[in-house]
Amino acid sequence: MSGVVEHFGDLSGDKLVELARIAETAERYEDMCKFMRALVDKKQDLSVEERNLLSVAYKNVVGSRRASWRTLGADENEGDKELLQEYRKKIQEELTNTCQEVLNLLEEKLLQVVDGKKDESEVFYQKMTGDYYRYLAEIKVDDASVPQNAKKHYQKAFDLAKEFLPETHPTRLGLALNFSVCHYEILKEPEQACALAKEAFDSAIAKLDNLTDNSYKDSTLIMQLLRDNLTLWTSENEQGDDAPPEEED
């Protein structure tokens, strides 16, 4: 049986993008990943829409597995513990493979194209690389290099964003949100997490009048998530609560 990409034969880049859109509409995110991976094999200089399709595809596939992995790790699960752990191990392997697949696309192809451009595309791909190292760090707790790789790429993205993107830009705000989550959840640095989130929120509030209509909704939503996390983390420090933080979709 041929794969979904092979089913359609030798496709142009435009046709692969159109199929990715159709797969998104059908909520067939595994197929969407395959179409976008085939596109990256053909070209690495992606448009804004194309890189967003790539991000959406993998975010949905990885997001569902992260949720499953967390659910099966909850203490209140009943039933055969051995079977449950074996099933969770299978999900972990799938999650690891998918994250590594994305990281290979980013590090071997996409990051190389934007290296040194010092613009939003370089911030976007550095942040995305940090995200997927962070997802790996959630499950590969015995590998100290993984969280440090997440931190390295987030930091590079953050340094670029502070220099080249306005405080209210959705990409800069989403980066601050996810980098602060990495500090809190992965690196176990709650003070740095709170400081980063507060600085990003306060800086954006000060420039709120400069927001354009196009980015207003996205930016203010991420600002709300930053504020929610600050409230949550303050509460955790006081009460020992352990609810999961908000992160960018």
Side-chain angles (χ1 to χ4, degrees), residues 29-205:
Y29 297 109
E30 300 270 5
D31 288 348
M32 191 179 178
C33 287
K34 293 171 184 175
F35 294 133
M36 293 310 299
R37 190 167 71 243
L39 179 68
V40 173
D41 286 340
K42 284 180 174 288
K43 57 178 280 193
Q44 288 78 55
D45 189 10
L46 303 185
S47 68
V48 172
E49 183 198 9
E50 288 165 352
R51 76 180 189 219
N52 286 338
L53 287 169
L54 177 75
S55 177
V56 166
Y58 279 103
K59 182 75 174 180
N60 276 279
V61 170
V62 168
S64 64
R65 284 169 169 76
R66 288 173 73 209
S68 299
W69 185 81
R70 286 173 172 170
T71 298
L72 294 185
D75 292 336
E76 62 266 21
N77 286 315
E78 298 179 356
D80 189 316
K81 296 296 183 183
E82 186 176 339
L83 279 177
L84 188 148
Q85 288 305 315
E86 188 62 29
Y87 196 8
R88 189 171 189 244
K89 182 180 177 182
K90 181 182 185 303
I91 294 170
Q92 181 169 323
E93 289 173 355
E94 293 175 359
L95 187 51
T96 299
N97 291 338
T98 305
C99 287
Q100 197 57 62
E101 181 179 297
V102 184
L103 289 169
N104 288 342
L105 290 176
L106 288 162
E107 295 182 314
E108 295 175 8
K109 297 183 178 180
L110 298 170
L111 278 175
Q112 294 183 22
V113 172
V114 298
D115 185 41
K117 291 183 75 173
K118 301 184 186 307
D119 63 4
E120 196 258 346
S121 66
E122 188 172 6
V123 175
F124 182 94
Y125 288 129
Q126 289 288 353
K127 171 192 172 292
M128 190 173 174
T129 307
D131 285 339
Y132 283 88
Y133 272 118
R134 174 165 61 90
Y135 305 151
L136 271 182
E138 292 175 346
I139 57 177
K140 293 174 74 73
V141 294
D142 56 342
D143 188 343
S145 69
V146 176
Q148 289 307 311
N149 278 331
K151 183 178 182 179
K152 177 183 74 174
H153 287 282
Y154 277 139
Q155 189 64 59
K156 183 165 185 179
F158 195 63
D159 291 342
L160 287 165
K162 289 180 74 173
E163 188 172 358
F164 298 106
L165 297 181
E167 291 87 346
T168 54
H169 196 291
T171 300
R172 176 169 169 173
L173 286 168
L175 167 62
L177 177 67
N178 287 9
F179 194 10
S180 63
V181 170
C182 183
H183 274 297
Y184 198 91
E185 292 280 296
I186 304 301
L187 302 172
K188 307 302 180 186
E189 299 170 343
E191 291 183 2
Q192 290 93 323
C194 291
L196 195 161
K198 186 176 188 306
E199 179 192 3
F201 180 83
D202 290 346
S203 297
I205 281 287

